Structures are given as structure tokens and as C-alpha cells.
């Protein structure tokens, strides 16, 4: 694995370390909230509805966050988001300490967390390319994925142990402590001011970002392929019920962590990605393999095979994520990076959130939990093949062309800013 960005950029080291620690705690809460809803209601649809509660504010706030990320200091936006998320985690802690935790409050906090994430994430995505050299971006995207996968691996696994052994209030308290590390690291990192002559946040500036995304077939391809894969092939809402079938709450963390094992292995061996230029083709192949892994999860009735299939799916998803991130970071001009990051966020969050609702609804039919999972995986494969045929430009996309386009657009914007000033 190429570690160059960690050696050459102090600020990337700080952001990487803070994000990894904060992400570790956030994944603990990510597992705990659905478990708490399932424990209170014993209804897979109620767990799936968490995704709907998160989707609604996210659809709006991602556009707001993207516009702000192109106008304000991106580091300050990210740090403010961490402080807000810490406050929401504190409310979860207080709710867990009450004699009878409120179900409605879990849904409210899920929605508010999604709203804050929509404000914060575009700034983070837009900030990172400014911390490293352009040629280091493939390695940077892989390292970002590594930090996330370590968090996704360790966080759910620890959550499963904590849920089975201590009060839920202590689980939320652990997450709250991790925010102290991330806020400190972001405070020590340098400011990342907006580009010169940045567009003011407005409906017009948001529309400019949407028009740009629509004009780029390779960007549309990344969005559509991932939405298809996650909508049909994301079974996380069913993990609490799958755990009951396979061994009980103590293995819940293993189900959440298994995809991260595959993702981590794919990331550690990601040095080859810097030598590949057919990025669109790799996204298509990886999305189809994700579907294959999910079909295996649905058809399996043993714990070890289920975990192996989840790990395989996680590896495929990570390959897709690396190449989608490379396309976004190497080709989008800096003055639009925040707004496009907001659109990207919608693409990689709406699919999973709606997928949770789909899997929960299908699980209530005669298909049951297993049938909902394997049918969704099969539909993911069919949808990916259909998109490959419908998006020939995306399938042929070459990363060298994208880098040249970004340089030309950045130079043109800089020249125009100088003329306007």
C-alpha cells in the first residue's frame, strides 16, 4: 500500500488520525441505534424506517453543505460538524440512562445526525484533495478508505461485545469520548480557505453544481451504479434479525464487521489501483461482484459462510469506492468540489438508506429475511449489467482524460478570478 501522503502531508496525517478515531466511535453508535430500535419494537420495518428518517434531511442538507464548502473555510465546517455530532451523541447517552428510553428520540437523533453529516461531509471531501499533491490522490483515497475500514471493522465488533455485556449508556459514552480526539486534530490542522472568487451559497450556485454533474457522463455513472448496488443489495436493516437466526446478539457486531474485513484486505492491497486508468469499467465490475456476495449472504444458513460472503462483498464495494473517489477527486475543479461532494454524498447515502427500507419491507413478505437479501443481490447484478449497457461512455472512461480536464478547468477559473478581481 502506498503511504506517501502520510509521509509528505502533516495536515493530511492530522485529518486522517482524527477521522479514524471519530469514525471508530461513530460506527459503534451506528450499530447500537438499530439494535436499540429492534429491541424496543421487534419489527424489521421499524429498523428500516430509520433510513427514511435519515434520508429526508440528508436530501436537503447535502446541497446546503456542498454550497457552504465552496464558500467557507472547509476545516471550520468539518470541526463544527464534529462538535454538533458530539452533542447529539450526548443526547443518546442521556436517553439510554432513562428508565424507559424514548423510541421517538432515536428517530429524531438519527434524522439530526444525517442533517449534520450532510453539512459536514462535503467540506471534508472537498478539503482532502487540497492537502496532498494531485498525483498522490489514488493513494490518498485508499488511505482514507483504510481509516474508515479499520473503524468499520473495530467499531461494530466492539459494539457487539459492549451491547452484550454493558448498559447501552456506556456504549454511547465511548463514542462521545472519540470526538475529543477528532476536534483536537482538526484544530491543529491548517485552514483550508475557499477558492478565489468563490460562489456565494444560493439556489443558483447549487444549480450550477447540478448542471456540471449532469454534463459529465463519468460522474453520472458513478452515482447511478452505486445507487443501484446499494438500493438492491444493502441488507443492514436485517442484521439484528439475521444475528438472531445465526447465534444471538453476541454475533451482531461480527455481521457489521465482516464487510470491513474484506474492505480492509482490498485496501491494504490497493497499490495496483494507481496503475489502472479504466476507472468506469472497474466500478461496474466491482458493483456486480458486490451483488454476488449479497446473494451468497441470503442463501447461506451458517455463520461462517455468511461472514465470508459479507467479507467478499465488502472487498468488492471497497474497490468500487476507491475508483469512484479517484474519478471525483482527480477530475472535478476545486471551485465546484464542495457542491459536487454534496451530490456524491447523496449518491452513496441514498442507496443504502432506501435499501434498508426495501430489505425491511421484503423481509415482511413470504421471502423472509434470507429471501429479501438474496433477491436484492440478484437485482443488484441485473441492474449493474443494465447500466453497463446504457452508459457506454462511463464504461470507456479513462482517468488520464479526466485529470487533463480538471487542470484545464482549474486554470481557466483562476484566470477568470484574476480578471474579475
Amino acid at each position: 500500500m502506498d503511504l506517501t501522503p502520510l509521509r509528505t502531508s502533516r495536515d493530511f496525517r492530522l485529518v486522517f488520525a482524527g477521522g479514524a478515531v471519530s469514525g471508530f466511535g461513530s460506527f459503534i453508535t451506528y450499530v447500537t441505534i438499530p439494535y436499540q430500535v429492534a429491541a424496543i419494537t421487534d419489527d424489521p420495518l421499524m429498523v428500516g424506517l430509520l433510513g427514511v428518517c435519515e434520508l429526508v434531511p440528508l436530501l436537503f442538507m447535502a446541497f446546503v453543505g456542498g454550497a457552504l464548502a465552496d464558500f467557507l473555510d472547509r476545516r471550520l465546517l468539518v470541526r463544527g460538524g464534529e462538535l454538533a455530532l458530539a452533542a447529539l451523541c450526548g443526547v443518546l447517552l442521556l436517553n439510554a440512562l432513562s428508565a424507559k428510553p424514548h423510541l421517538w428520540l432515536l428517530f429524531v437523533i438519527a434524522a439530526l445526525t444525517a442533517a449534520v453529516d450532510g453539512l459536514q461531509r462535503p467540506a471534508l471531501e472537498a478539503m482532502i484533495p487540497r492537502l496532498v499533491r494531485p498525483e498522490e490522490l489514488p493513494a490518498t483515497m485508499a488511505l482514507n478508505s483504510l481509516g474508515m475500514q479499520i473503524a468499520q471493522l473495530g467499531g461494530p465488533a466492539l459494539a457487539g461485545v459492549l451491547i452484550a455485556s454493558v448498559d447501552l449508556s456506556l456504549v454511547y459514552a465511548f463514542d462521545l469520548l472519540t470526538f475529543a480526539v477528532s476536534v483536537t486534530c482538526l484544530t491543529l490542522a491548517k485552514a483550508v480557505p475557499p477558492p478565489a472568487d468563490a460562489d456565494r451559497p444560493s439556489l443558483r450556485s447549487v444549480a450550477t453544481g447540478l448542471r456540471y454533474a449532469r454534463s459529465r457522463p463519468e460522474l453520472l455513472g458513478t452515482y447511478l451504479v452505486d445507487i443501484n448496488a446499494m438500493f438492491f443489495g444493502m441488507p443492514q436493516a436485517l442484521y439484528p434479525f439475521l444475528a438472531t437466526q445465526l447465534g444471538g446478539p453476541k454475533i451482531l457486531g461480527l455481521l457489521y464487521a465482516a464487510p470491513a474485513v474484506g474492505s480492509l484486505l482490498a485496501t491494504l492491497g490497493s497499490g495496483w489501483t494507481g496503475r489502472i486508468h479504466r476507472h468506469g469499467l472497474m466500478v461496474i465490475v466491482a458493483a456486480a461482484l458486490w451483488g454476488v456476495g449479497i446473494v451468497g449472504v441470503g442463501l447461506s444458513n451458517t455463520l461462517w459462510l455468511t461472514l465470508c460472503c459479507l467479507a467478499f462483498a465488502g472487498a468488492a464495494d471497497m474497490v468500487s469506492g476507491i475508483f469512484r473517489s479517484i474519478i471525483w477527486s482527480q477530475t472535478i475543479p476545486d471551485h465546484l468540489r464542495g457542491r459536487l461532494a454534496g451530490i456524491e454524498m447523496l449518491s452513496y447515502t441514498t442507496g443504502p438508506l432506501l435499501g434498508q427500507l426495501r430489505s425491511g419491507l421484503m423481509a415482511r413478505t413470504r421471502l423472509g429475511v434470507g429471501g429479501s437479501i438474496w433477491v436484492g443481490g440478484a437485482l443488484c447484478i441485473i441492474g449493474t449489467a443494465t447500466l453497463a449497457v446504457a452508459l457506454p461512455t462511463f464504461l470507456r472512461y479513462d482517468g488520464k482524460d479526466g485529470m487533463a480536464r480538471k487542470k484545464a478547468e482549474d486554470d481557466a477559473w483562476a484566470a477568470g478570478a484574476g480578471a474579475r478581481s
Side-chain angles (χ1 to χ4, degrees), residues 23-89:
F24 188 89
S26 296
F27 271 109
I28 291 178
T29 297
Y30 184 70
V31 173
T32 307
I33 291 179
Y35 173 81
Q36 196 170 9
V37 172
I40 295 173
T41 66
D42 193 30
D43 187 347
L45 179 58
M46 292 298 293
V47 180
L49 286 175
L50 278 172
V52 178
C53 286
E54 294 167 349
L55 175 61
V56 173
L58 192 61
L59 289 173
F60 174 73
M61 298 308 295
F63 290 114
V64 176
L68 289 174
D70 284 334
F71 185 70
L72 301 175
D73 186 315
R74 292 166 181 172
R75 180 189 63 112
L76 290 180
L77 278 174
V78 176
R79 188 173 64 180
E82 288 293 283
L83 291 171
L85 291 172
L88 292 174
C89 185

Side-chain angles (χ1 to χ4, degrees), residues 24 32 61 68 128 144 205 209-210 212 232 237 251 272 318 322 328 330-331 369 379-380 402 405:
F24 188 89
T32 307
M61 298 308 295
L68 289 174
I128 289 175
N144 270 343
S205 69
L210 289 171
Y212 183 84
F232 290 115
I251 69 159
W272 61 275
M318 180 46 52
I322 288 174
W328 298 334
Q330 282 190 338
T331 68
V369 173
L379 291 173
C380 165
R405 182 189 296 112

Side-chain angles (χ1 to χ4, degrees), residues 244-419:
T244 299
Q245 295 178 4
L246 297 174
K250 63 181 178 295
I251 69 159
L252 177 60
L254 296 179
L255 295 178
Y256 278 97
V261 173
S263 298
L264 181 61
L265 293 175
T267 304
L268 291 174
S270 63
W272 61 275
T273 59
R275 300 188 293 271
I276 302 296
H277 302 287
R278 293 288 301 278
H279 300 157
L281 174 62
M282 293 306 302
V283 172
I284 290 285
V285 171
L289 292 176
W290 159 267
V292 171
I294 297 303
V295 169
V297 173
L299 295 177
S300 169
N301 57 10
T302 60
L303 177 60
W304 70 268
L305 182 57
T306 298
L307 295 178
C308 287
C309 290
L310 284 172
F312 177 84
D317 184 48
M318 180 46 52
V319 172
S320 171
I322 288 174
F323 282 104
R324 283 184 284 116
S325 296
I326 291 174
I327 292 174
W328 298 334
S329 298
Q330 282 190 338
T331 68
I332 297 172
D334 188 55
H335 70 280
L336 290 169
R337 190 68 192 92
R339 279 163 283 180
L340 271 292
I343 297 172
E344 293 155 16
M345 184 179 183
L346 290 178
S347 75
Y348 62 71
T349 55
T350 53
L353 294 177
L354 290 174
Q356 292 184 47
L357 179 61
R358 177 211 63 81
S359 61
L361 285 171
M362 291 184 69
R364 299 183 82 188
T365 69
R366 292 184 178 181
L367 287 171
V369 173
S372 173
I373 295 173
W374 77 258
V375 169
L379 291 173
C380 165
I381 298 170
I382 294 170
T384 301
T386 302
L387 288 171
V389 174
L391 300 170
T393 303
F394 176 61
L395 199 63
R396 296 192 301 266
Y397 172 74
D398 191 311
K400 294 179 180 178
D401 299 332
M403 291 182 67
R405 182 189 296 112
K406 179 181 185 301
K407 186 178 186 307
E409 291 179 348
D410 280 337
D411 290 344
W413 178 263

